Amino acid sequence: MGNREDLLAGAKRCLMEKGYAGTTARDIAAASGTSLASIGYHFRSTKALLNAALVEAMEEWGKEIEHALAAEAPPGATPLQRFEATWERIIESYIRLRPLWAIQFELIAQMDRLPELRESFASANREARLGLAALFENLDPAVDEKKAMAVGTFYQALLGGLATQWLVDPESAPSAHDLVQALHTITAGRSGPTQPDTPSPTAAGTSP
């Protein structure tokens, strides 16, 4: 690898071990086997290097999620069984990629002091939601972008919320089977999807 690639690899290792705020230029130089001057030459600043390393790490995380979703469910599996199998694999990825999830929450807490990262996260959010809709439900935003965005937002909330519980207390964090049981409870008695854009007879001032 060249110095630039070495710096990115070293910065990613430091991010995993020390976090974003705890990583210094000297840490990266030592981890990458390069000089402090090479950081300025290739990236201008340590912050720019860390941001680039974070983007690469997030891309690797995305590939990990794709890999988890690409694994085939057992033949004849029901939709709920496929759902459970998928989330079992995602939970395994939480365990392997725990430092990367921790960094994301660290950065969210510092967002007001890192406006450039806020902009990066905000612009990436839209693409992430559409990507999740395609990965989980094979929804094409070109066909129905509003639906894809809503579904992607739901999965983004589920991924982040579950990751929080695994970071804070993995011993009592829900399993994939727990998610299925919760889904059963939440959907019990609901015969079909609601139509939020259609006013109810009461709200419209009319009788049934």
Side-chain angles (χ1 to χ4, degrees):
M1 290 192 296
N3 274 2
R4 191 178 192 282
E5 291 75 21
D6 290 334
L7 285 166
L8 283 168
K12 281 189 284 186
R13 286 197 296 275
C14 289
L15 282 171
M16 297 298 182
E17 295 169 6
K18 300 173 179 290
Y20 189 94
T23 296
T24 67
R26 292 186 183 279
D27 292 331
I28 298 172
S32 61
T34 61
S35 66
L36 288 171
S38 64
I39 295 176
Y41 178 77
H42 289 286
F43 293 94
R44 296 193 176 182
S45 70
T46 303
K47 185 179 289 187
L49 169 54
L50 283 173
N51 291 349
L54 181 63
V55 168
E56 279 203 3
M58 293 300 295
E59 288 175 352
E60 291 169 7
W61 169 82
K63 290 176 182 176
E64 185 82 18
I65 295 297
E66 285 185 35
H67 177 73
L69 295 174
E72 294 193 11
T78 66
L80 278 178
Q81 288 170 335
R82 288 196 294 272
F83 179 92
E84 182 171 350
T86 295
W87 283 95
E88 283 176 352
R89 294 190 292 269
I90 289 174
I91 287 170
E92 289 171 4
S93 79
Y94 288 151
I95 298 168
R96 289 195 304 276
L97 301 176
R98 189 181 191 282
L100 183 54
W101 278 102
I103 290 167
Q104 292 183 65
F105 288 110
E106 174 194 351
L107 292 176
I108 289 170
Q110 300 183 52
M111 205 66 77
D112 287 342
R113 298 191 295 276
L114 299 167
E116 69 280 6
L117 279 180
R118 177 186 289 277
E119 292 175 10
S120 297
F121 270 52
S123 62
N125 253 345
R126 172 184 168 80
E127 294 305 316
R129 290 167 181 165
L130 295 177
L132 288 171
L135 285 172
F136 278 94
E137 300 295 339
N138 198 29
L139 291 176
D140 184 353
V143 175
D144 191 338
E145 184 174 345
K146 184 177 180 181
K147 183 177 182 180
M149 184 65 73
V151 170
T153 300
F154 168 79
Y155 278 113
Q156 187 181 54
L158 191 53
L159 277 167
L162 193 58
T164 302
Q165 295 180 62
W166 273 90
L167 281 172
V168 173
D169 187 7
E171 294 300 320
S172 64
S175 66
H177 182 69
D178 293 332
L179 293 180
V180 171
Q181 294 303 307
L183 196 57
H184 271 301
T185 301
I186 293 168
T187 58
R190 292 171 170 82
S191 58
T194 58
Q195 301 294 329
D197 294 331
T198 303
S200 66
T202 302
T206 61
S207 57

